Amino acid sequence: MANKHYPAQFKADAVALYRSRPGTTIAQVADDLGVNRETLRSWVRADDQRRGGGAGHPAVAAGQPPADSVKAENAELRRRVRELEEERDILRKAARYFAGGDALVNRFQFVADHQARYGVKRLCQILGVARSSFYYWQATAPARAARQAADTILARQIRAVHTADTTYGAPRITAELRDQGKPVNHKRVARVMRSIGLQGLRLRRRHRTTIPDPAAATAADLIGRDFTAPAVNQRYVGDITYLPVGERGFLYLATVIDLHSRRLAGWAIADHMRTELILDALTAAQRTRGSLAGAIFHSDHGAQYTSKDFAAACRTAGVRQSMSKVGSSADNALAESFNATFKRETLQGRRAFADERDARLTSFRWLHRYNTVRRHSRLGQRSPITYEQIQERSSNITKAA
């Protein structure tokens, strides 16, 4: 059954996801995440009030006639409706500014183009940007224009070198330009190459997430490649995968997947692969299920899973550890398959996420859609949570009979 007690971080991420998609309605975001629309709307309202944008009704003075109170309330409601209509119109106009490019710069450009009509303060509040940042962007516009003109010239020079040898990346192109008497920094060359969609020929280094510790204690394989379970909360698999961010950065995702319903019972994202990452995922699974006592948790031989801290956490939770053979990905195939699907559907052909915010929000949306909306062929084209709910209702009917 879906967990209706949402953690504070979930609420904050849901609101951040809504605000990061101008032009998208609360209903669309709520449906994507599988939460009640009014629930998400209340979270957004609460966040508005924390930001100082909440609008309440004016207090009625003691002894004021009821008619005056009603008039005052109606006037306030009409004012609020006008504000909301204006906000809707502003967001509709702003949506056209977000077709591509830097989202923050697009927000600033929208404020600059419409400040005479709506005012800077109002626009910045609606679009979620700081006025000081907008004024700084506005003041530095001439310097940016000069840099852009210089970058345009550099882009032509880079294209000429890259056309001569398409295997050249930023380091070699920088060296070539310097030999031609053009003093240029390799970081600037790399930035301009990204902006015009050029890159050298290189193989992406495979980033290892499973690093075994030969001296660590291991556990027997209690799964034996049988990735099924007769009921929920009996057998789980887990793994760590990396999320490529930018050119060289990484975040890491740890998962806990129920083998009966394929539900992602727990997960955690961090910028490290320390044991705390998988402890957070296990804790999230405990929060989802209420208790993991008696369940089996299967993993590979990564140093995090063979650590003393994780073993102690499993004992405390009443979980029996199970481990695959060293170097055998087939022994944890379900978790590996989940990771591959997750990356394919979130990256959608991209080499990496744009930045950490993009990685976190995109992952957050997909992981919750996976549980609540995304259909699973093994579950009769139902989502994991829907499948669990059907199983629970069937079990209750059987017991009642």
Side-chain angles (χ1 to χ4, degrees), residues 133-167:
S133 298
F134 166 72
Y135 287 129
Y136 176 80
W137 174 84
Q138 198 173 45
T140 55
R144 285 198 308 278
R147 285 197 302 270
Q148 186 173 0
D151 284 350
T152 300
I153 296 173
L154 179 59
R156 289 199 296 267
Q157 297 168 345
I158 289 173
R159 285 187 184 278
V161 177
H162 191 267
T163 300
D165 192 332
T166 56
T167 67

Side-chain angles (χ1 to χ4, degrees), residues 89-339:
D89 293 340
I90 290 172
L91 290 174
R92 283 179 176 174
K93 292 177 181 178
R96 294 193 292 270
Y97 279 68
F98 302 108
D102 189 315
L104 183 60
V105 170
N106 289 340
R107 282 176 166 83
F108 290 153
Q109 189 61 58
F110 180 82
V111 174
D113 293 345
H114 296 82
Q115 60 181 324
R117 178 174 180 180
Y118 299 108
V120 172
K121 181 178 179 180
R122 176 81 168 137
L123 291 172
C124 288
Q125 183 182 53
I126 292 174
L127 297 181
V129 297
R131 277 185 290 167
S132 58
S133 298
F134 166 72
Y135 287 129
Y136 176 80
W137 174 84
Q138 198 173 45
T140 55
R144 285 198 308 278
R147 285 197 302 270
Q148 186 173 0
D151 284 350
T152 300
I153 296 173
L154 179 59
R156 289 199 296 267
Q157 297 168 345
I158 289 173
R159 285 187 184 278
V161 177
H162 191 267
T163 300
D165 192 332
T166 56
T167 67
Y168 273 17
R172 288 191 173 92
I173 290 179
T174 301
E176 182 71 21
L177 292 175
R178 286 176 177 173
D179 285 348
Q180 295 176 10
K182 303 178 179 69
V184 65
N185 183 280
H186 74 279
K187 292 182 179 179
R188 184 182 174 202
V189 170
R191 174 176 58 78
V192 173
M193 287 183 68
R194 286 195 300 273
S195 70
I196 60 177
L198 290 183
Q199 62 180 1
L201 179 65
R202 66 184 179 89
L203 297 177
R204 190 177 186 92
R205 179 176 64 87
R206 188 176 184 275
H207 194 73
R208 293 182 65 198
T209 54
T210 301
I211 305 173
D213 181 359
T218 60
D221 185 351
L222 305 178
I223 296 294
R225 300 189 183 181
D226 177 14
F227 301 108
T228 62
V232 298
N233 201 25
Q234 291 188 2
R235 307 173 89 192
Y236 294 90
V237 295
D239 198 11
I240 300 174
T241 191
Y242 71 93
L243 315 181
V245 178
E247 282 297 304
R248 296 182 180 275
F250 295 96
L251 291 177
Y252 301 92
L253 168 68
T255 55
V256 180
I257 305 170
D258 192 306
L259 289 181
H260 178 73
S261 63
R262 298 299 195 263
R263 180 177 181 176
L264 186 62
W267 56 273
I269 295 177
D271 58 359
H272 62 79
M273 287 196 301
R274 296 190 295 273
T275 304
E276 298 94 277
L277 174 64
I278 61 172
L279 290 177
D280 288 344
L282 186 68
T283 299
Q286 284 180 285
R287 197 162 50 234
T288 297
R289 294 304 191 195
S291 172
L292 298 177
I296 294 173
F297 180 86
H298 184 76
S299 68
D300 57 29
H301 277 257
Q304 301 88 345
Y305 293 109
T306 58
S307 68
K308 293 180 180 178
D309 287 344
F310 186 68
C314 286
R315 284 194 300 271
T316 301
V319 172
R320 290 187 293 163
Q321 280 189 271
S322 169
M323 292 183 184
S324 58
K325 296 182 181 66
V326 176
S328 176
S329 60
D331 287 350
N332 202 20
L334 189 142
E336 298 278 356
S337 175
F338 176 90
N339 292 340

